[in-house]
């Protein structure tokens, strides 16, 4: 009887510890969708609210897509160091090619914002040539923005000879 009771207690213990906090993918996806809705609102504090929902999603399920969005929002909020840290950890991890390319595009934007234009252009050039990147035109537009900024800094841009009404 004593051994049988001990057996049941041990079984209960292992069940409880083995059934600890499991990730709740559905709840995480709901928080992620709430984050998306906040980003679409574009009202005061929408980045911060989206970030709150994302943190809740990440507690339930630390998916690379969620982390990538967090890094991008932090970049938009000018928390460059934290954003860069997340981008680096994502790029060191094993990612699907589509997520990796999206992360690289956003990371290149962060680098450009920090004045590291040559590094940013290198990543963007790789994306333009990538057969897996679904939107190379986005990388091209980002390249154009960097070249415009570089031209402004060096005084290369000329004023238009005509006025647009």
């Amino acid at each position: 009887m004593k051994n049988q009771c001990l057996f049941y207690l041990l079984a209960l213990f292992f069940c409880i510890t083995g059934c600890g906090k499991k990730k709740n993918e559905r709840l995480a996806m709901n928080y992620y969708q709430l984050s998306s809705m906040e980003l679409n609102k574009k009202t005061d504090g929408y980045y911060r609210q989206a970030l709150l929902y994302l943190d809740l999603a990440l507690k339930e399920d630390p998916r690379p897509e969620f982390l990538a969005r967090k890094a991008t929002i932090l970049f938009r909020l000018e928390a460059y160091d934290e954003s860069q840290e997340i981008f680096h950890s994502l790029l060191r991890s094993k990612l699907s090619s589509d997520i990796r390319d999206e992360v690289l595009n956003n990371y290149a934007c962060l680098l450009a914002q920090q004045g590291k234009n040559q590094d940013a252009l290198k990543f963007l050039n790789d994306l333009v040539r990538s057969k897996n990147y679904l939107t190379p035109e986005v990388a091209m537009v980002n390249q154009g923005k960097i070249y415009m900024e570089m031209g402004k800094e060096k005084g290369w841009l000329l004023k238009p000879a005509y006025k647009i009404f």
Side-chain angles (χ1 to χ4, degrees):
M1 180 78 170
K2 193 175 184 181
N3 287 340
Q4 194 176 21
C5 190
L6 184 60
F7 172 76
Y8 287 124
L9 282 174
L10 283 173
L12 180 64
F13 172 76
F14 286 119
C15 182
I16 290 172
T17 58
C19 299
K21 178 141 171 93
K22 291 184 180 178
K23 62 183 182 180
N24 188 337
E25 294 174 6
R26 204 139 117 223
L27 180 58
M29 187 52 78
N30 286 340
Y31 283 131
Y32 184 76
Q33 289 170 344
L34 284 169
S35 171
S36 296
M37 289 171 55
E38 286 298 321
L39 292 174
N40 289 332
K41 284 182 184 177
K42 299 200 189 279
T43 57
D44 289 341
Y46 68 100
Y47 277 134
R48 297 211 182 276
Q49 187 61 44
L51 192 58
L52 287 173
Y53 285 130
L54 253 160
D55 284 337
L56 291 170
L58 285 164
K59 283 181 184 176
E60 297 298 326
D61 187 5
R63 289 186 199 182
E65 306 95 89
F66 299 172
L67 280 170
R69 177 172 286 176
K70 180 175 181 173
T72 301
I73 291 173
L74 288 169
F75 160 58
R76 299 282 186 183
L77 289 170
E78 298 179 3
Y80 299 134
D81 292 339
E82 194 176 349
S83 175
Q84 188 164 4
E85 188 177 309
I86 294 171
F87 280 135
H88 280 189
S89 71
L90 282 167
L91 291 171
R92 283 190 303 266
S93 67
K94 185 174 174 134
L95 299 172
S96 65
S97 61
D98 57 331
I99 293 173
R100 182 174 197 74
D101 288 345
E102 291 298 325
V103 167
L104 278 175
N105 180 63
N106 292 342
Y107 180 57
C109 293
L110 172 67
L111 291 174
Q113 187 67 34
Q114 294 176 320
K116 300 173 184 172
N117 293 329
Q118 296 306 320
D119 293 334
L121 287 170
K122 179 197 169 302
F123 287 125
L124 292 171
N125 284 331
D126 292 345
L127 288 174
V128 168
R129 285 188 239 111
S130 172
K131 64 181 180 199
N132 297 321
Y133 191 43
L134 299 177
T135 55
E137 65 277 5
V138 172
M140 288 180 198
V141 167
N142 288 334
Q143 284 175 319
K145 288 178 181 179
I146 292 171
Y147 283 124
M148 280 185 56
E149 281 303 312
M150 290 169 65
K152 283 181 190 174
E153 291 170 5
K154 295 188 179 189
W156 292 345
L157 295 180
L158 301 174
K159 293 182 181 177
Y162 57 88
K163 287 186 177 181
I164 300 175
F165 298 99

